[in-house]
């Protein structure tokens, strides 16, 4: 399935307000269970969708390389108010009530197994501006297990200056050169987490490696400014796209899934 998008953190293009809220949920799912979790998550997500939801989009990624959690779920909203207002479980309950008794038994088992993976989860809320703090290609087929890279930093000064410097040094040149599908940055809003996070997407790991190898040649002034604003160490994660919502259904990455 093809989807033209330009959306923060998930590299897609949807119509949204200039400033939005992203709720990130981090799970520790055993590697051998990630495929099963993805199937369960699709079932629960599809059952919880409805007109009452304020959710604008959701993207899920699995760990590939780096330290930390094995699954991250990004829920996107137009505002903090929409994020608070959204009630997936209320809609899930409403749709559940319409099922037959046999279907309810099946859904009970699915929900119990799915919810068990949320034990010990952590979450945070981040702000994003897809119109200002994102650059991306058009006509990208996102229905693939693309590589999604996230770098998390704290800043000694302005988050915006730090983010803009990274965009000028790394994101915009990499997108223009053809290897990076899209990227940008988000700011901390609520919960635990780094002040600034940078994200980028690539068709595969080879194109990611090639793109990174060219960074040293790009915009030395912007590179210098970015590193001058970095406070302490940072954390990197490399993910693989698991799936995202398309037309009110959770679409697993890959054709005909």
């Amino acid at each position: 399935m093809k989807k033209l998008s330009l959306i923060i953190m998930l590299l897609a293009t949807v119509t949204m307000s200039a400033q939005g809220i992203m709720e990130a949920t981090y799970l520790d799912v055993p590697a051998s269970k990630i495929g099963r979790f993805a199937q369960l998550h699709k079932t629960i997500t599809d059952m919880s969708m409805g007109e009452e939801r304020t959710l604008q989009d959701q993207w899920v990624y699995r760990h590939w390389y780096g330290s930390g959690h094995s699954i991250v779920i990004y829920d996107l909203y137009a505002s903090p108010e929409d994020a608070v207002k959204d009630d997936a479980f209320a809609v899930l309950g409403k749709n559940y009530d319409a099922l037959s008794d046999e279907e309810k038994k099946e859904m009970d088992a699915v929900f119990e197994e799915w919810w068990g993976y949320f034990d010990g989860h952590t979450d945070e809320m981040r702000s994003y501006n897809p119109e200002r703090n994102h650059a991306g290609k058009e006509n990208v087929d996102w229905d693939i297990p693309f590589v999604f890279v996230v770098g998390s930093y704290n800043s000694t000064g302005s988050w915006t200056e730090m983010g803009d410097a990274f965009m000028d040094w790394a994101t915009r040149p990499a997108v223009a050169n053809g290897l990076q599908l899209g990227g940008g940055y988000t700011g901390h809003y609520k919960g635990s987490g780094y002040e600034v996070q940078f994200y980028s997407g690539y068709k595969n790991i080879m194109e990611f490696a090639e793109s990174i190898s060219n960074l040293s040649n790009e915009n030395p002034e912007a590179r210098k400014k970015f590193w001058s604003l970095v406070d302490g160490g940072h954390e990197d994660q490399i993910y693989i796209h698991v799936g995202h919502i398309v037309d009110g259904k959770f679409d697993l990455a890959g054709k005909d899934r």
Side-chain angles (χ1 to χ4, degrees):
M1 181 180 297
K2 292 186 177 181
K3 180 181 180 183
L4 170 63
S5 28
L6 181 62
I7 186 175
I8 190 80
M9 284 305 302
L10 314 167
L11 315 172
T13 323
V14 293
T15 302
M16 354 173 68
S17 61
Q19 190 71 29
I21 285 291
M22 177 193 74
E23 188 166 19
T25 303
Y26 304 104
L27 309 178
D28 290 320
V29 177
S32 62
K33 299 291 186 180
I34 288 177
R36 176 58 177 168
F37 171 81
Q39 292 289 340
L40 295 168
H41 188 74
K42 171 176 172 54
T43 300
I44 296 297
T45 300
D46 290 353
M47 180 62 63
S48 67
M49 297 302 292
E51 294 181 357
E52 304 93 327
R53 298 291 304 275
T54 55
L55 178 72
Q56 290 190 321
D57 216 334
Q58 181 192 88
W59 293 64
V60 179
Y61 299 90
R62 62 164 295 169
H63 171 85
W64 189 79
Y65 184 81
S67 60
H69 45 270
S70 60
I71 290 284
V72 59
I73 302 170
Y74 293 119
D75 291 327
L76 274 65
Y77 300 93
S79 67
E81 292 76 18
D82 278 359
V84 173
K85 179 182 178 181
D86 190 43
D87 193 343
F89 290 114
V91 179
L92 178 63
K94 176 183 176 181
N95 293 333
Y96 173 86
D97 289 339
L99 300 176
S100 67
D101 289 343
E102 187 62 31
E103 289 171 330
K104 286 179 180 178
K105 289 180 181 179
E106 294 178 2
M107 186 57 64
D108 288 343
V110 169
F111 180 85
E112 183 177 358
E113 185 179 356
W114 172 79
W115 189 239
Y117 288 113
F118 284 76
D119 287 348
H121 76 276
T122 58
D123 49 45
E124 65 170 321
M125 296 178 73
R126 307 193 62 83
S127 63
Y128 66 91
N129 187 327
E131 296 180 7
R132 183 186 185 281
N133 304 336
H134 176 91
K137 295 184 176 302
E138 296 183 349
N139 300 318
V140 173
D141 179 8
W142 296 108
D143 190 23
I144 59 173
F146 62 85
V147 175
F148 188 69
V149 182
V150 177
S152 303
Y153 295 79
N154 289 321
S155 176
T156 60
S158 167
W159 299 359
T160 300
E161 289 185 11
M162 183 184 191
D164 290 348
F166 187 88
M167 292 283 291
D168 290 341
W169 162 42
T171 304
R172 291 191 176 92
V175 170
N177 290 342
L179 293 176
Q180 185 171 313
L181 302 177
Y185 70 93
T186 67
H188 177 71
Y189 183 82
K190 184 180 180 181
S192 60
Y194 284 84
E195 293 172 345
V196 185
Q197 284 189 340
F198 302 93
Y199 64 91
S200 53
Y202 307 85
K203 185 177 181 179
N204 53 53
I205 198 67
M206 288 78 73
E207 294 193 4
F208 163 60
E210 185 178 348
S211 181
I212 291 298
S213 68
N214 294 328
L215 280 182
S216 59
N217 301 320
E218 302 291 352
N219 204 332
E221 289 302 317
R223 180 176 72 246
K224 180 179 179 181
K225 183 174 183 180
F226 166 73
W227 286 112
S228 73
L229 290 168
V230 172
D231 183 17
H234 69 279
E235 180 180 292
D236 294 315
Q237 277 273 23
I238 301 177
Y239 299 104
I240 300 296
H241 173 227
V242 170
H244 62 282
I245 291 177
V246 178
D247 298 330
K249 298 290 184 180
F250 191 82
D251 180 39
L252 293 167
K255 305 306 175 188
D256 301 321
R257 294 193 68 193

